[in-house]
């Protein structure tokens, strides 16, 4: 693939076609992208750092899943200029990503890392994270441009053989890699180099050789800027961990962070991480082992205690579920999902495959999905041929006719076994470890079709717990399990959230906006081809079919949340009523004792028992009076597989009333409390509650 | 002519010179009656507590019945000419979210009253509020009473609930109202000559029951009750009570219970007619109605407060024309006044009274109201020297 550009003309000296032709030459893809780096997500130093991590992690996860390995991914960001002045915002970083994937055989390494648009995923209709094959090589190219340093690659395709250590730099003129170092080594995973970063990397738990029997390690040096908050590496990894509960991700952030860093991480880590850390070895099945397939064993018990922890300067995103996502099938394009030019190209390729001898009938049957033999026959007749008509004999007019027929004819929807939903339990597991809420629910929709391409929508909601209560809900968006961090308002999912009537589910919502409350809304779109609004893959294009599915998924989740909230409100009312009675009966018993000498304790106990009995009765009556709450609705929720409740994180009602006394009227919202032992977060001002992350 | 004074109150039992056997006997009798009364009140309170405890132990509804003090539960006894309380009762339940606190307050005040009776002391309404006030155990800052209003209303509930009067609960209100005139009384053992009260007058206490106040000597032939102390001051300065041999009283707007009880006793025990000089507005009309028939909120007290024979001598709606008053005295009736006037005209005890129906409709026709002070525009002493004497002479009043 080439991009050609014509030279610019100068007014002063009239050019001739001949003189111009001297400057008209092919430019390589690499050159084009080197000058237009924003197209690939390298707009600024901060985003460049993120994009590099993102492309490498996406590749690692794709590779592991294709090989049927439960992914272990380690991300290390080293600050190479720790002594730079305090006010300098950017620095040179070395980013290293190590995975336990199948590795890459020696002869393909140059192609995979050293050429743009070289990859296994572009030519097929299969659901995967990466699509174009630009990512990692573009990151390497960016690093080369900003620092002049080559990419360092370690790869071990076979666990019993030595690993390769390759260093290569891309030649942007030729779109080819130039290898500077090529040697064999036993150092995989490359611990020796990463060993001394901090106390965490010295622990044997870090890059344990048993967890990385095979795999690939990539290091890229680049000019970047490490900053937390929205659109940061931290957020990306957090969200990746949520959408990929089967992956275990280890993150070593740089020791020094930029001077003006905002402490604004959406989900709070547990500050007392050390107490809650899960010994990794206890939980994992045998490291590096191939997955046991898609059995359902152990799915039913998600452990809400598996949460992201931070220890010795390393952040661990543990594996929430020991099951790989189902393998997806590659599909042929659906007749309705292609354009005329593509049809012509496909026909040309088919001719070439069959050395000019392929028939139209066979072409339709083999290269498209959902074209039955009779349908193929019909198409042949429509274009004025028969089943033996050769593809090479068709005129452009006949192709156009065929293309129109594709649009009008009745065809079944494309097959949907090419889609792998994350799954309800997996979504819950992912949210449970990443978001400290009290209520979780998830929904997976049946596959649907846009423009002849199958897609599938999943939604999940986490509510309450430690989430900030006085802000609009946070929407986290995923496409094929990859978090989308930018351009939220341009995204179809964001529009779907705004169009859903959250007020029906007991949440407050400004007109057309996001609902307010301690809420995280997750939307995942899985498709063989995700329609992004731009090459940088930041927002999902707004197709009606997609938005409708998203809304339906959100409504299912919303209804369950509504049920839970009504129940919670009811409990609150009940508790308030009980509270009122219990407050006064003490005084009543004492007064009666003083007047008539009855035993205070006995009287108090009797009244208390009565108060408890009364509040129960009062609630039952409330239900009978036609309120929507059914008596056993909460029980229903508990038995609902799509709902997870973490009661211990539910804001305690009693405390809440006391809290209100303390805080006076300036903060009428529910207080968000941390679980036991942690300090309490309070509103720091009217403009917004600063959410700080505990780093220790 | 000195009206007959009831023998029981002829002698002051507490007077320092009261040494005779019969005097001592009277005091004893009064004290004995007080003791009996306190004992009865105590029994009522203990019964109430026993009842609550009993219900609690047996798991029955825990509640106190309190007669409702609203217009709907007020009955107009036409024959006797007074308002009486009906039988309607509202339940105050402990296990009702809106009543739980009031229930607790009722019990707290019950206990306070018991303590007062045992200590043989009395407290003002404000004092009672402070007596019952403390932070509820188990809460950080919730108080038993949010303000004196809550406390006052609970005390009124206890009065009707227990069927005991305020003084029987050893509680009294702020004193209000003034008296001066040809009468000598004994107040808590001190002899008071109401002819020698200077310009301020005798401040009428909250409790004017026979055991506190006894009438010793009375020459007056009637009582003139005026609405406010400004008018009363005019009459007192002009020595109206001396010239016309009467008693002059004032109730600072709607007269408090102490004042009303005193008027009633002057009327009942000494046989003095009561004449009222009030504003020509719905408020003045209602004050008269309260003096004459009793009030809605204290209908249970009408028996001893109402004075069915009281007369309304002015100001009348026709006085604007009759007395040729200037335009300046008109105060326009606002919507509220009109509404209130219609309400009053519709009360059963006004409905059958042609004179009053005419009076109210004339005021509405005028479209303005007048205060007693408006008569001062004619002449400073017009009201004392001409207006009132003329009304009395002509027996020109409303019943």
């Amino acid at each position: 693939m080439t991009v050609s550009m014509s030279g610019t003309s100068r007014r002063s000296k009239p050019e001739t076609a001949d003189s111009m032709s001297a400057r008209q030459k092919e430019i390589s893809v690499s050159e084009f992208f080197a000058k237009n780096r924003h197209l690939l997500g390298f707009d600024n130093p901060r985003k460049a750092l993120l994009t590099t991590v993102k492309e490498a992690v996406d590749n690692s996860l794709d590779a592991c899943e294709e090989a049927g390995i439960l992914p272990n991914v380690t991300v290390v960001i080293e600050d190479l200029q720790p002594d730079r002045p305090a006010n300098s915002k950017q620095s040179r970083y070395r980013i290293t990503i190590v995975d336990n994937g199948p590795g890459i055989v020696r002869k393909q390494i140059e192609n995979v890392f050293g050429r743009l648009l070289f990859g296994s995923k572009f030519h097929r209709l299969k659901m995967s994270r990466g699509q174009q094959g630009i990512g990692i090589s573009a990151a390497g190219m960016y690093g080369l441009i900003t620092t002049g340093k080559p990419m360092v690659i370690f790869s071990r395709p076979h666990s019993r053989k030595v690993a390769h250590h390759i260093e290569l730099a891309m030649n942007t003129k030729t779109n080819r890699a130039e290898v500077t170092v090529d040697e064999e080594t036993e150092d995989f995973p490359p611990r020796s180099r990463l060993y001394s970063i901090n106390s965490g990397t010295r622990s044997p738990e870090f890059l344990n050789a048993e967890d990385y029997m095979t795999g690939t390690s990539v290091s890229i040096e680049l000019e970047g800027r490490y900053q937390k908050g929205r659109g940061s590496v931290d957020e990306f990894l957090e969200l990746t961990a949520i959408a990929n509960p089967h992956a275990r991700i280890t993150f070593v952030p740089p020791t020094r962070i930029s001077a003006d860093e905002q402490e604004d991480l959406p989900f709070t880590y547990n500050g007392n991480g050390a107490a809650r850390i899960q010994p990794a070895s206890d939980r994992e099945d045998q490291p590096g082992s191939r997955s046991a397939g898609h059995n359902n064993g152990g799915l039913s018990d998600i452990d809400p205690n598996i949460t992201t922890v931070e220890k010795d300067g390393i952040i661990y995103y543990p594996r929430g579920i020991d099951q790989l996502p189902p393998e997806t099938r590659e599909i042929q394009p659906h007749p309705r999902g292609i354009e005329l030019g593509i049809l012509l190209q496909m026909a040309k390729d088919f001719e070439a495959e069959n050395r000019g001898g392929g028939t139209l009938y066979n072409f339709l049957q083999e290269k498209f999905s959902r074209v039955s033999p009779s349908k193929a026959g019909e198409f042949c007749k429509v274009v004025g041929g028969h089943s033996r008509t050769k593809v090479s004999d068709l005129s452009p007019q006949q192709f156009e006719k065929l293309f129109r027929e594709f649009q009008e004819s009745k065809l079944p929807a494309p097959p949907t076994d090419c889609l792998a939903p994350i799954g309800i339990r997996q979504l819950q597991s992912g949210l449970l470890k990443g978001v400290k809420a009290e209520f979780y629910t998830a929904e997976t929709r049946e596959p649907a079709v846009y423009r002849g391409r199958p897609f599938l929508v999943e939604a999940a909601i986490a509510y309450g717990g430690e989430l900030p209560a006085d802000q609009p809900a946070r929407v986290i968006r995923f496409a094929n399990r990859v978090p989308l961090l930018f351009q939220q308002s341009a995204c179809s999912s964001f529009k779907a959230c705004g169009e859903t009537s959250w007020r029906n589910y007991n949440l407050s919502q400004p007109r057309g906006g996001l609902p307010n409350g301690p809420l995280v809304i997750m939307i995942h779109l899985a498709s063989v081809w995700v329609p992004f609004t731009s090459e940088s893959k930041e927002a999902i294009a707004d197709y009606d079919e997609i938005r409708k599915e998203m809304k339906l998924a959100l409504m299912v989740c919303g209804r369950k949340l509504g049920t839970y909230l009504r129940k919670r409100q009811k409990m609150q009312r009940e508790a308030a009523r009980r509270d009122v009675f219990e407050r006064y009966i003490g005084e009543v018993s004492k007064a009666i004792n003083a007047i008539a000498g009855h035993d205070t304790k006995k009287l108090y106990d009797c009244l208390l028992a009565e108060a408890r009995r009364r509040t129960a009765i009062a609630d039952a009556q409330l239900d009978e009076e036609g309120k929507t709450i059914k008596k056993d609705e909460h029980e229903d929720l508990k038995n609902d597989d799509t709902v997870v409740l973490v009661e211990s994180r539910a804001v305690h009602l009693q405390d809440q009333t006391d809290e209100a006394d303390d805080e006076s009227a300036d903060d009428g919202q529910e207080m968000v409390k941390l679980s036991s032992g942690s300090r309490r977060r309070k509103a720091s001002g009217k403009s917004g509650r600063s959410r700080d992350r505990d780093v220790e | 002519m000195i009206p007959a004074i009831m023998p029981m109150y002829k002698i002051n039992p507490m007077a320092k010179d009261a040494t005779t056997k019969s005097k001592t006997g009277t005091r004893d009798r009064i004290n004995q009656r007080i003791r009996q009364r306190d004992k009865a009140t105590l029994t009522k309170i203990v019964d109430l507590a026993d009842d609550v405890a009993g219900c609690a132990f047996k798991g029955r509804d825990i509640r106190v019945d309190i007669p409702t003090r609203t217009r709907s539960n007020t009955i107009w006894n036409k024959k006797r000419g007074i308002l009486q309380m009906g039988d309607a009762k509202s339940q105050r339940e402990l296990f009702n979210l809106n009543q739980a606190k009031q229930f607790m307050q009722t019990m707290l005040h019950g206990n306070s009253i018991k303590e007062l009776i045992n200590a043989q002391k009395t407290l003002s309404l404000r004092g009672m509020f402070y007596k019952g006030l403390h932070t509820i155990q188990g809460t950080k800052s919730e108080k038993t009473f949010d303000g004196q209003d809550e406390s006052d209303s609970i005390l009124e509930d206890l009065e009707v609930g227990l069927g005991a009067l305020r003084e029987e609960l050893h509680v009294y209100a702020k004193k209000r109202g003034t008296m001066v005139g040809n009468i000598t009384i004994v107040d808590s053992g001190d002899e008071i000559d109401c002819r020698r009260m200077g310009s301020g007058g005798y401040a009428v206490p909250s409790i004017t029951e026979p055991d506190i106040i006894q009438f010793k000597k009375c020459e007056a032939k009637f009582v003139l009750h005026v609405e406010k102390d400004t008018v009363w001051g005019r009459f007192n300065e002009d020595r109206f009570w001396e010239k016309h041999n009467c008693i002059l009283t004032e109730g600072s707007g709607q007269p408090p219970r102490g004042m009303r009880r005193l008027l009633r006793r002057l009327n009942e025990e000494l046989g003095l007619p009561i004449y009222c000089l009030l504003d020509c507005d719905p408020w003045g009309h209602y004050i008269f109605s309260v003096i004459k028939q009793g009030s809605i909120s204290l209908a249970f007290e009408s028996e001893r407060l109402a004075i069915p024979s009281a007369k309304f001598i002015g100001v009348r709606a026709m006085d604007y024309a009759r007395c040729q008053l200037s335009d300046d005295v008109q105060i326009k009736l606002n919507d509220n006044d009109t509404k209130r006037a219609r309400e009053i005209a519709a009360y059963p005890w006004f409905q059958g009274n042609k004179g009053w129906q005419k009076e109210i409709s004339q005021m509405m026709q005028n479209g303005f109201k007048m205060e007693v002070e408006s008569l001062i525009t004619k002449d400073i002493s017009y009201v004392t020297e001409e207006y009132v004497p003329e009304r009395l002479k002509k027996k020109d009043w409303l019943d």
Side-chain angles (χ1 to χ4, degrees), chain A residues 548-619:
Chain A
K548 185 184 154 208
E549 280 295 313
M550 286 175 172
K551 271 156 71 180
L552 288 171
L554 288 174
M555 280 158 70
V556 172
C557 293
R559 273 197 290 276
K560 282 168 188 161
L561 176 63
T563 305
Y564 174 70
L565 289 182
R566 275 195 302 276
K567 177 72 190 175
R568 209 174 84 144
Q569 273 174 0
K570 202 178 87 171
M571 279 158 58
Q572 227 153 353
R573 275 201 306 273
E574 189 178 339
R577 189 189 287 126
R578 189 163 291 172
D579 196 44
V580 167
F581 295 154
E582 287 182 11
R583 252 182 294 157
Y584 298 147
I585 56 183
E587 296 287 339
V588 170
S589 332
K590 264 191 270 175
I592 289 178
N593 167 266
I595 297 172
H598 297 283
D599 182 46
T600 316
K601 177 84 176 60
K602 190 180 161 199
L603 201 55
Y604 181 81
D605 290 343
C606 279
L607 290 176
L608 189 66
E610 184 69 9
R612 300 237 150 113
R613 199 172 64 77
R614 290 284 173 146
T615 45
I617 288 173
D619 285 334

Side-chain angles (χ1 to χ4, degrees), chain B residues 105-120:
Chain B
Q105 291 168 338
T106 311
M107 293 300 138
L108 285 177
H109 270 342
N111 186 32
S112 298
I113 290 162
K114 187 195 164 190
E115 285 178 33
L116 282 176
I117 292 174
N118 284 343
Q120 281 300 301

